[in-house]
Amino acid sequence: NAGVTQTPKFQVLKTGQSMTLQCAQDMNHNSMYWYRQDPGMGLRLIYYSASEGTTDKGEVPNGYNVSRLNKREFSLRLESAAPSQTSVYFCASSEVLRLLNTEAFFGQGTRLTVV
Amino acid sequence: AQSVTQLDSQVPVFEEAPVELRCNYSSSVSVYLFWYVQYPNQGLQLLLKYLSGSTLVKGINGFEAEFNKSQTSFHLRKPSVHISDTAEYFCAVSAQGAQKLVFGQGTRLTINP
Protein backbone atom coordinates (compact mmCIF):
# COMPACT_ATOMS: atom_id res chain seq x y z
CA ASN A 1 0.00 0.00 0.00
CA ALA A 2 2.50 2.61 -1.22
CA GLY A 3 0.21 5.66 -1.70
CA VAL A 4 2.34 8.51 -3.09
CA THR A 5 5.99 7.79 -3.76
CA GLN A 6 8.54 10.52 -4.41
CA THR A 7 12.13 10.17 -5.49
CA PRO A 8 14.74 11.16 -4.56
CA LYS A 9 14.44 11.95 -0.83
CA PHE A 10 17.50 14.20 -0.79
CA GLN A 11 19.41 16.02 -3.53
CA VAL A 12 22.19 18.58 -3.71
CA LEU A 13 22.59 20.48 -6.98
CA LYS A 14 24.99 23.09 -8.20
CA THR A 15 23.57 26.31 -9.59
CA GLY A 16 22.63 25.81 -13.22
CA GLN A 17 22.24 22.05 -13.06
CA SER A 18 19.00 20.39 -14.02
CA MET A 19 17.06 17.58 -12.41
CA THR A 20 13.67 15.89 -12.38
CA LEU A 21 11.71 14.96 -9.29
CA GLN A 22 9.58 11.89 -9.79
CA CYS A 23 6.20 11.20 -8.26
CA ALA A 24 3.87 8.24 -8.62
CA GLN A 25 0.57 7.36 -6.96
CA ASP A 26 -1.24 4.04 -6.90
CA MET A 27 -4.68 5.25 -5.76
CA ASN A 28 -6.09 5.94 -9.24
CA HIS A 29 -6.51 9.63 -8.40
CA ASN A 30 -7.20 12.16 -11.12
CA SER A 31 -5.60 15.19 -9.46
CA MET A 32 -1.91 15.55 -8.68
CA TYR A 33 0.08 18.45 -7.25
CA TRP A 34 3.56 19.75 -6.60
CA TYR A 35 4.11 22.01 -3.60
CA ARG A 36 7.17 23.59 -2.10
CA GLN A 37 7.57 24.25 1.60
CA ASP A 38 9.80 27.00 2.96
CA PRO A 39 10.14 28.18 6.56
CA GLY A 40 7.37 30.63 7.44
CA MET A 41 5.77 30.35 3.99
CA GLY A 42 3.59 27.29 4.44
CA LEU A 43 2.88 25.15 1.38
CA ARG A 44 2.90 26.92 -1.95
CA LEU A 45 1.47 25.32 -5.06
CA ILE A 46 3.90 25.11 -7.97
CA TYR A 47 1.85 23.20 -10.56
CA TYR A 48 -1.12 20.91 -10.55
CA SER A 49 -2.78 18.47 -12.91
CA ALA A 50 -6.52 17.93 -12.73
CA SER A 51 -6.41 14.94 -15.04
CA GLU A 52 -4.11 13.01 -17.33
CA GLY A 53 -2.94 15.26 -20.13
CA THR A 54 -3.62 18.58 -18.38
CA THR A 55 -1.37 20.78 -16.26
CA ASP A 56 -1.86 24.25 -14.79
CA LYS A 57 0.30 26.79 -13.02
CA GLY A 58 -0.02 27.38 -9.31
CA GLU A 59 1.29 30.28 -7.22
CA VAL A 60 5.02 29.86 -7.89
CA PRO A 61 5.60 28.18 -11.29
CA ASN A 62 8.63 30.19 -12.47
CA GLY A 63 11.72 28.06 -12.98
CA TYR A 64 9.78 24.78 -13.08
CA ASN A 65 8.16 22.55 -15.66
CA VAL A 66 5.93 19.53 -15.17
CA SER A 67 4.81 16.47 -17.08
CA ARG A 68 1.76 14.34 -16.39
CA LEU A 69 3.16 11.24 -18.01
CA ASN A 70 0.08 9.12 -17.34
CA LYS A 71 -2.56 8.90 -14.64
CA ARG A 72 -0.04 7.56 -12.10
CA GLU A 73 2.97 9.80 -12.66
CA PHE A 74 3.59 13.54 -12.36
CA SER A 75 7.16 14.81 -12.60
CA LEU A 76 8.66 18.19 -11.74
CA ARG A 77 11.68 19.47 -13.63
CA LEU A 78 14.14 22.19 -12.70
CA GLU A 79 15.86 23.20 -15.94
CA SER A 80 18.52 25.46 -14.40
CA ALA A 81 18.56 25.26 -10.63
CA ALA A 82 18.98 28.42 -8.56
CA PRO A 83 19.70 28.82 -4.83
CA SER A 84 16.17 30.26 -4.43
CA GLN A 85 14.84 26.81 -5.30
CA THR A 86 16.36 25.31 -2.18
CA SER A 87 13.29 23.91 -0.46
CA VAL A 88 11.37 20.81 0.52
CA TYR A 89 9.17 19.60 -2.31
CA PHE A 90 6.01 17.58 -1.81
CA CYS A 91 3.97 15.71 -4.34
CA ALA A 92 0.31 14.97 -3.56
CA SER A 93 -2.73 13.41 -5.18
CA SER A 94 -6.47 13.59 -4.58
CA GLU A 95 -9.77 12.41 -5.97
CA VAL A 96 -12.71 14.54 -7.05
CA LEU A 97 -16.12 14.14 -5.41
CA ARG A 98 -19.08 16.29 -6.45
CA LEU A 99 -16.72 18.65 -8.32
CA LEU A 100 -14.50 19.18 -5.27
CA ASN A 101 -11.10 17.74 -4.52
CA THR A 102 -11.19 15.48 -1.51
CA GLU A 103 -8.29 14.95 0.88
CA ALA A 104 -4.79 15.07 -0.55
CA PHE A 105 -2.35 12.25 0.10
CA PHE A 106 1.25 13.38 0.34
CA GLY A 107 4.57 11.84 -0.45
CA GLN A 108 7.40 11.98 2.08
CA GLY A 109 9.05 14.96 0.44
CA THR A 110 12.30 15.75 -1.36
CA ARG A 111 14.80 17.96 0.42
CA LEU A 112 16.62 19.90 -2.31
CA THR A 113 19.64 22.10 -1.73
CA VAL A 114 21.06 24.25 -4.52
CA VAL A 115 24.59 25.55 -3.88
CA ALA B 1 -10.66 32.10 -6.02
CA GLN B 2 -10.52 30.42 -2.65
CA SER B 3 -8.03 31.36 0.06
CA VAL B 4 -7.17 30.27 3.59
CA THR B 5 -5.89 32.33 6.50
CA GLN B 6 -4.46 30.76 9.62
CA LEU B 7 -4.62 33.53 12.17
CA ASP B 8 -1.73 32.44 14.37
CA SER B 9 1.72 31.53 13.12
CA GLN B 10 2.78 30.14 16.50
CA VAL B 11 0.79 28.91 19.50
CA PRO B 12 2.61 27.97 22.72
CA VAL B 13 0.57 26.12 25.36
CA PHE B 14 1.25 24.12 28.48
CA GLU B 15 0.80 20.37 28.56
CA GLU B 16 -2.77 19.27 29.41
CA ALA B 17 -4.15 22.73 28.56
CA PRO B 18 -6.81 23.17 25.86
CA VAL B 19 -5.85 24.61 22.49
CA GLU B 20 -7.61 26.21 19.54
CA LEU B 21 -5.94 26.81 16.18
CA ARG B 22 -7.86 29.24 14.05
CA CYS B 23 -8.60 28.98 10.34
CA ASN B 24 -10.71 31.24 8.14
CA TYR B 25 -11.41 30.65 4.47
CA SER B 26 -12.75 32.68 1.61
CA SER B 27 -14.91 31.17 -1.11
CA SER B 28 -18.17 32.03 -2.84
CA VAL B 29 -19.01 28.39 -3.60
CA SER B 30 -19.26 25.11 -1.73
CA VAL B 31 -16.11 23.92 -0.01
CA TYR B 32 -14.46 20.93 1.56
CA LEU B 33 -12.15 21.72 4.49
CA PHE B 34 -9.18 19.87 5.93
CA TRP B 35 -6.65 19.99 8.74
CA TYR B 36 -3.26 18.37 8.30
CA VAL B 37 -0.44 17.81 10.78
CA GLN B 38 3.26 17.74 10.03
CA TYR B 39 5.60 16.34 12.67
CA PRO B 40 9.26 17.41 12.50
CA ASN B 41 11.03 16.17 9.37
CA GLN B 42 7.99 14.27 8.15
CA GLY B 43 5.33 14.62 5.46
CA LEU B 44 1.77 15.81 5.95
CA GLN B 45 -0.84 13.60 7.53
CA LEU B 46 -4.60 14.19 7.48
CA LEU B 47 -6.05 15.02 10.91
CA LEU B 48 -9.68 15.48 9.91
CA LYS B 49 -11.93 16.65 7.10
CA TYR B 50 -15.30 18.26 6.55
CA LEU B 51 -17.09 17.19 3.38
CA SER B 52 -20.76 17.47 4.39
CA GLY B 53 -23.16 16.59 7.19
CA SER B 54 -22.45 17.38 10.83
CA THR B 55 -20.51 20.60 11.28
CA LEU B 56 -18.54 19.13 14.20
CA VAL B 57 -15.88 16.83 12.85
CA LYS B 58 -13.76 14.50 14.95
CA GLY B 59 -10.31 13.43 13.85
CA ILE B 60 -7.34 11.46 15.04
CA ASN B 61 -5.41 12.03 18.27
CA GLY B 62 -8.40 13.65 20.04
CA PHE B 63 -8.66 16.67 17.73
CA GLU B 64 -11.93 18.08 16.48
CA ALA B 65 -12.99 21.02 14.31
CA GLU B 66 -16.19 22.92 13.73
CA PHE B 67 -17.32 24.18 10.35
CA ASN B 68 -19.05 27.56 10.66
CA LYS B 69 -20.42 28.63 7.31
CA SER B 70 -21.65 32.05 8.45
CA GLN B 71 -18.24 32.96 9.86
CA THR B 72 -16.34 31.05 7.14
CA SER B 73 -14.24 29.39 9.80
CA PHE B 74 -12.94 25.92 10.54
CA HIS B 75 -11.13 26.12 13.88
CA LEU B 76 -9.26 23.13 15.27
CA ARG B 77 -9.54 22.25 18.96
CA LYS B 78 -8.22 19.78 21.48
CA PRO B 79 -9.35 19.80 25.13
CA SER B 80 -6.02 18.63 26.57
CA VAL B 81 -2.75 18.61 24.65
CA HIS B 82 0.23 16.33 25.05
CA ILE B 83 3.92 16.90 24.36
CA SER B 84 3.56 14.61 21.32
CA ASP B 85 1.17 17.14 19.72
CA THR B 86 4.10 19.45 19.05
CA ALA B 87 3.96 19.90 15.27
CA GLU B 88 2.94 22.25 12.51
CA TYR B 89 -0.74 22.30 11.57
CA PHE B 90 -2.13 23.28 8.19
CA CYS B 91 -5.67 24.18 7.22
CA ALA B 92 -6.69 23.59 3.59
CA VAL B 93 -9.71 24.29 1.42
CA SER B 94 -11.06 22.78 -1.76
CA ALA B 95 -13.65 24.90 -3.56
CA GLN B 96 -16.19 23.62 -6.05
CA GLY B 97 -14.81 23.74 -9.56
CA ALA B 98 -11.41 25.09 -8.48
CA GLN B 99 -9.49 21.88 -9.32
CA LYS B 100 -6.91 22.45 -6.61
CA LEU B 101 -6.32 22.46 -2.86
CA VAL B 102 -5.16 25.66 -1.21
CA PHE B 103 -3.26 25.61 2.08
CA GLY B 104 -2.89 28.15 4.84
CA GLN B 105 0.51 29.34 6.07
CA GLY B 106 0.60 26.88 8.95
CA THR B 107 0.50 27.20 12.74
CA ARG B 108 3.37 25.90 14.81
CA LEU B 109 2.04 24.36 18.02
CA THR B 110 4.57 24.14 20.83
CA ILE B 111 3.72 22.26 24.01
CA ASN B 112 5.60 23.24 27.16
CA PRO B 113 5.86 20.86 30.11
Side-chain angles (χ1 to χ4, degrees):
Chain A
N1 194 13
V4 179
T5 303
Q6 278 181 246
T7 55
K9 288 188 169 52
F10 301 94
Q11 184 71 50
V12 178
L13 289 179
K14 293 183 179 178
T15 297
Q17 285 185 317
S18 62
M19 78 161 295
T20 299
L21 280 64
Q22 306 286 356
C23 175
Q25 52 94 7
D26 62 2
M27 296 171 282
N28 203 36
H29 287 164
N30 283 312
S31 300
M32 296 187 74
Y33 314 84
W34 278 105
Y35 292 91
R36 61 177 288 175
Q37 185 179 26
D38 304 289
M41 308 285 285
L43 285 161
R44 292 183 293 170
L45 184 63
I46 304 171
Y47 271 93
Y48 65 100
S49 170
S51 61
E52 184 179 352
T54 68
T55 61
D56 286 285
K57 295 178 180 179
E59 299 174 67
V60 289
N62 291 345
Y64 305 95
N65 285 302
V66 290
S67 295
R68 184 74 184 266
L69 305 168
N70 47 54
K71 193 170 186 179
R72 289 187 66 246
E73 297 173 288
F74 188 39
S75 62
L76 178 72
R77 183 160 178 83
L78 287 69
E79 290 290 352
S80 179
S84 61
Q85 294 178 305
T86 293
S87 187
V88 180
Y89 292 84
F90 287 100
C91 177
S93 71
S94 69
E95 194 44 87
V96 176
L97 178 65
R98 297 192 288 267
L99 298 179
L100 290 100
N101 284 288
T102 59
E103 66 191 89
F105 292 81
F106 282 81
Q108 286 303 299
T110 297
R111 191 172 295 273
L112 175 67
T113 303
V114 183
V115 298
Chain B
Q2 76 270 37
S3 65
V4 178
T5 302
Q6 290 184 243
L7 297 158
D8 306 292
S9 59
Q10 295 187 67
V11 173
V13 296
F14 288 105
E15 195 171 15
E16 298 183 7
V19 70
E20 178 180 80
L21 306 184
R22 297 179 295 167
C23 172
N24 285 97
Y25 69 92
S26 172
S27 175
S28 58
V29 296
S30 296
V31 296
Y32 289 164
L33 293 157
F34 310 88
W35 276 99
Y36 285 83
V37 60
Q38 184 181 34
Y39 299 107
N41 299 313
Q42 293 190 26
L44 277 79
Q45 177 183 355
L46 183 71
L47 261 184
L48 48 79
K49 61 186 176 185
Y50 171 78
L51 303 185
S52 63
S54 172
T55 57
L56 183 63
V57 181
K58 293 190 185 298
I60 61 172
N61 301 340
F63 283 93
E64 63 181 32
E66 186 153 20
F67 171 54
N68 188 321
K69 189 173 181 180
S70 62
Q71 297 191 9
T72 61
S73 68
F74 191 55
H75 301 333
L76 181 70
R77 302 184 182 100
K78 187 170 182 177
S80 175
V81 295
H82 190 264
I83 291 281
S84 60
D85 292 322
T86 295
E88 189 148 20
Y89 292 79
F90 293 93
C91 183
V93 64
S94 166
Q96 195 166 43
Q99 298 186 325
K100 60 185 179 182
L101 287 169
V102 175
F103 283 79
Q105 303 286 60
T107 298
R108 188 170 297 277
L109 178 62
T110 306
I111 313 298
N112 299 308

